[in-house]
Amino acid sequence: MYDCDICGRAAEIAYVVEIEGAMMTLCERCAKGKTPVRVLGEERMQKSTARKEPAARDEPEVVSDYGHRIRSARDAIGMSTKVLAEKINEKESTLIRVENQRMLPDETLRKKLERELGIKLMEQVPRGRTSAAGGSNTPTTLWDAAIRKEKKKQ
Ligand SMILES: [Zn+2]
């Protein structure tokens, strides 16, 4: 906060204005119509608006390797696509297309697969944050861990 040299009000942003050879720190109102030499506190304002700005809705998204996750989890329990398709009441061809990532599972199918295989096909994608920081808030299942391990091997 800065105190205005004219009106004494505390201002979030202060304008340094040269008046008759003297540097004055003024609030926005008092600085009106004058050309500021410097603007103080603007940086902080930008930062605080930037913090608000990333309309930070961490929307869950289907993971990019959903097909791989489904197949790995299915393979791990030795279940064929046919059996799995029957269990979740879907066509085997649909399941195969999803596994090959040629088709994004809709919400119903995704939930059935998640329940049947004990995997997570959705993940929170934190917007405006680096991926290095994220991930810790993603629920991890045993299958996820197994799949991650398998991925590392490749
Ligand atoms: Zn003022």
Side-chain angles (χ1 to χ4, degrees):
M1 288 299 227
Y2 303 93
D3 292 328
C4 174
D5 285 339
I6 292 180
C7 70
R9 279 205 314 190
E12 195 78 47
I13 296 184
Y15 299 82
V16 180
V17 179
E18 195 181 332
I19 298 172
E20 293 166 13
M23 290 297 190
M24 311 267 282
T25 306
L26 307 180
C27 70
E28 191 177 3
R29 215 172 51 172
C30 299
K32 220 169 201 159
K34 299 175 175 71
T35 312
V37 184
R38 265 181 72 200
V39 182
L40 303 171
E42 198 178 45
E43 201 177 289
R44 198 172 47 176
M45 284 295 278
Q46 276 170 357
K47 238 183 255 168
S48 66
T49 49
R51 214 182 303 132
K52 257 179 270 164
E53 196 235 300
R57 285 183 304 153
D58 288 358
E59 282 176 11
E61 283 182 6
V62 173
V63 293
S64 55
D65 62 341
Y66 62 93
H68 180 82
R69 289 197 192 197
I70 295 164
R71 186 180 296 139
S72 302
R74 185 176 54 72
D75 283 347
I77 52 175
M79 195 187 280
S80 69
T81 48
K82 189 168 183 288
V83 173
L84 178 58
E86 272 168 22
K87 278 196 150 210
I88 61 173
N89 206 20
E90 291 285 342
K91 280 193 205 139
E92 188 185 3
S93 60
T94 305
L95 183 59
I96 290 171
R97 263 195 305 194
V98 171
E99 283 195 1
N100 289 332
Q101 311 222 149
R102 278 187 285 141
M103 191 186 122
L104 207 62
D106 63 21
E107 203 190 333
T108 318
L109 176 56
R110 179 177 53 75
K111 282 185 177 163
K112 283 194 280 189
L113 287 167
E114 284 181 334
R115 207 175 315 138
E116 194 59 44
L117 299 169
I119 54 173
K120 285 267 174 241
L121 296 174
M122 297 291 276
E123 82 190 346
Q124 297 281 336
V125 178
R127 278 161 219 275
R129 251 205 295 160
T130 53
S131 56
S136 54
N137 57 352
T138 311
T140 308
T141 66
L142 285 175
W143 286 124
D144 270 339
I147 291 159
R148 252 177 237 143
K149 231 193 266 168
E150 193 189 297
K151 258 162 102 184
K152 256 182 222 160
K153 266 189 269 170
Q154 288 169 355

